[in-house]
Amino acid sequence: MAQKAPRGLLSRLGRYLFIIVRDLLIIVLAALVVSFLIKTFLIRSFSIPTSSMEETLQVDDRVIVSQLTPGVFEVNHGDVVVFVDPGGWLPSGLATEDDPLTTLFNWIGPRLGLPDESGDEHLIKRVIGLPGDTVVCCDALGALSVNGVPLEEPYLSLPDGVEDVSGSSFSVVVPDDALWVMGDNRYNSADSRANLSKPGGGFVPVDHVVGRAIVVSWPAENWAWLGNFPSAFQGIPDNPIRG
């Protein structure tokens, strides 16, 4: 006849199991809290849906976005930024307002490490004009200028044989608290130029900026830091708004 385990031994085993389960729950909870705080205040991940930023970003690349810009750090010329649609930039039906439950899930999910399902309301472009800048295109050599300084833009992807950095001419002054943004794939990007007739005049309010894209995180073969090419914007004089 099998001998029953001493009651004291079973009690000790129960306590050990309780401690193990308790510690695991604490670790998981702490990890979720840390992840939540990081993704709420520091970084988010977005997927690239279009070719408007090629060759810098490819379709389906995933980028890590620092939410410290703007805020702790200022937006600079050349930054690649993710921003909320200022209104009417995206095709009809993409920037829709979700029901409250879906909105809550889309807010919580990315902060727990899940893919951002609200990306249809976001765009990603490069900052060309800061508040107060005068942005003009194109000069006799086909270059774009900011505050009278022609830019050499090494990040551009242009069609073969094309020298003008924009297929359309424009001259704009960027309002206070706004940005002028353009895609690196200039002839396949519905950026500020394509939205001049919209209510916002093609400008992106700074408070619509989610953050600065700092690295391509996936796929592994496309891993790269995303620079803002300070040499391309060197020598641009300050304007009255920025001082």
Side-chain angles (χ1 to χ4, degrees):
M1 185 174 179
Q3 187 175 1
K4 292 183 179 180
R7 186 172 298 176
L9 177 59
L10 292 175
S11 178
R12 287 196 297 273
L13 286 174
R15 285 200 301 272
Y16 291 150
L17 287 173
F18 170 77
I19 292 172
I20 291 172
V21 172
R22 181 199 63 189
D23 290 349
L24 285 174
L25 288 175
I26 291 174
I27 292 171
V28 170
L29 181 60
L32 289 174
V33 170
V34 170
S35 175
F36 178 85
L37 292 175
I38 288 175
K39 293 178 183 295
T40 298
F41 300 107
L42 297 180
I43 62 173
R44 288 174 68 177
S45 175
F46 287 89
S47 179
I48 305 304
T50 72
S51 61
S52 69
M53 284 296 292
E54 290 181 350
E55 298 292 325
T56 303
L57 299 172
Q58 307 299 316
V59 175
D60 294 331
D61 277 356
R62 291 201 72 86
V63 295
I64 301 298
V65 174
S66 168
Q67 296 184 103
L68 298 179
T69 303
V72 178
F73 302 106
E74 294 182 351
V75 179
N76 291 308
H77 289 115
D79 285 349
V80 177
V81 295
V82 171
F83 55 95
V84 177
D85 181 4
W89 286 38
L90 291 168
S92 177
L94 287 182
T96 56
E97 183 177 357
D98 292 318
D99 61 87
L101 185 60
T102 303
T103 300
L104 178 62
F105 178 80
N106 287 340
W107 188 82
I108 293 176
R111 289 157 177 80
L112 299 180
L114 300 176
D116 194 322
E117 301 297 340
S118 62
D120 283 348
E121 296 182 358
H122 297 83
L123 301 98
I124 184 166
K125 307 291 179 189
R126 191 179 297 274
V127 175
I128 302 299
L130 296 175
D133 281 344
T134 298
V135 186
V136 179
C137 197
C138 300
D139 64 15
L141 298 177
L144 178 152
S145 67
V146 178
N147 296 343
V149 177
L151 305 185
E152 293 186 12
E153 303 179 88
Y155 43 78
L156 288 186
S157 176
L158 300 177
D160 291 340
V162 173
E163 294 184 358
D164 288 1
V165 299
S166 173
S168 58
S169 299
F170 59 87
S171 177
V172 298
V173 177
V174 184
D176 191 6
D177 297 324
L179 305 170
W180 178 266
V181 299
M182 300 176 75
D184 289 357
N185 190 359
R186 286 287 165 80
Y187 282 75
N188 190 24
S189 176
D191 49 36
S192 287
R193 298 166 298 168
N195 293 281
L196 283 167
S197 62
K198 302 290 173 60
F203 302 106
V204 177
V206 173
D207 60 11
H208 277 50
V209 176
V210 174
R212 176 190 172 191
I214 55 176
V215 66
V216 179
S217 61
W218 188 262
E221 60 268 23
N222 290 351
W223 189 95
W225 291 105
L226 295 173
N228 58 8
F229 296 88
S231 61
F233 298 87
Q234 189 173 6
I236 295 176
D238 286 336
N239 57 66
I241 292 180
R242 296 202 312 276

